[in-house]
Amino acid sequence: VLRPSRIVPLFGGGIFNSSYNSREAVVQVVVPEEQGQPARAEVVAIISGHGEDSNNCAEFCPTSHHFRLNRGREQVANFSMAGTAWGCADVVMDGGVPNEYGTWIFGRSGWCNGRPVYPWVWDVTADLSPVGAPNLLRYRALQGSTQYMTDDNVAEILMSSYLVLYYSMCEPSK
């Protein structure tokens, strides 16, 4: 049985503007030797965009959030439905609340009225360094597929992200 035994905070959100990616772009994590090599490792992120600057970001513009552990595959949370005409109306059957007045039907960056913000979970076990060696985690956010280049200070990315390490636990005998 695998159980999460260590949860390491990674990156938070902030004001989404041209300097967003220049802060805390890399986090280093070393797996302690006393715990041994984890059986599984995941990057878990809860992300949503809010506020509306001159470009309708970060609530109504498509954003993508890129995570990479060491030299592994880049893991991407892509909010391409943001700004679409029916994005949130299309997810009413999945928990979106209809008729919330105003702009409730339009797609948003990672959320809709009344609907849970679901975590993004990526298995990065194969990319984890051996016990005692540094692991470098990188993060960047883009508007669509390019660096966001406005200096407005009203768009905001709300994010909590973690590296979760799982270890084998023996099941008690019955």
Side-chain angles (χ1 to χ4, degrees):
V1 174
L2 295 180
R3 300 203 185 195
S5 299
R6 185 160 185 230
I7 300 173
V8 181
L10 296 176
F11 308 99
I15 299 298
F16 190 51
N17 59 20
S18 60
S19 63
Y20 181 83
N21 288 326
S22 64
R23 55 183 190 79
E24 65 171 306
V26 179
V27 171
Q28 180 175 305
V29 176
V30 176
V31 176
E33 291 185 27
E34 62 272 7
Q35 286 187 285
Q37 189 71 13
R40 183 176 176 91
E42 295 175 342
V43 170
V44 177
I46 301 169
I47 310 165
S48 60
H50 301 270
E52 191 173 342
D53 64 14
S54 57
N55 297 310
N56 284 336
C57 270
E59 187 170 336
F60 293 110
C61 72
T63 59
S64 58
H65 302 267
H66 304 253
F67 298 83
R68 183 184 305 266
L69 175 59
N70 297 320
R71 296 182 191 273
R73 192 174 128 226
E74 187 171 69
Q75 308 294 339
V76 181
N78 190 350
F79 298 124
S80 57
M81 87 165 190
T84 60
W86 297 100
C88 286
D90 287 342
V91 297
V92 167
M93 297 303 289
D94 190 32
V97 176
N99 302 321
E100 284 287 306
Y101 303 104
T103 59
W104 77 270
I105 62 173
F106 301 129
R108 289 179 168 75
S109 193
W111 67 280
C112 290
N113 292 334
R115 184 175 183 232
V117 176
Y118 296 105
W120 292 81
V121 180
W122 299 283
D123 182 352
V124 294
T125 308
D127 303 326
L128 198 63
S129 296
V131 170
N135 289 281
L136 298 178
L137 290 112
R138 292 170 178 79
Y139 165 74
R140 66 190 174 119
L142 303 175
Q143 179 191 11
S145 60
T146 60
Q147 170 72 32
Y148 195 49
M149 297 305 293
T150 187
D151 287 323
D152 292 349
N153 290 312
V154 295
E156 185 174 11
I157 301 294
L158 299 179
M159 178 172 65
S160 296
S161 63
Y162 306 90
L163 177 65
V164 182
L165 303 176
Y166 293 80
Y167 292 87
S168 294
M169 301 289 181
C170 295
E171 276 290 310
S173 301
K174 292 186 180 184

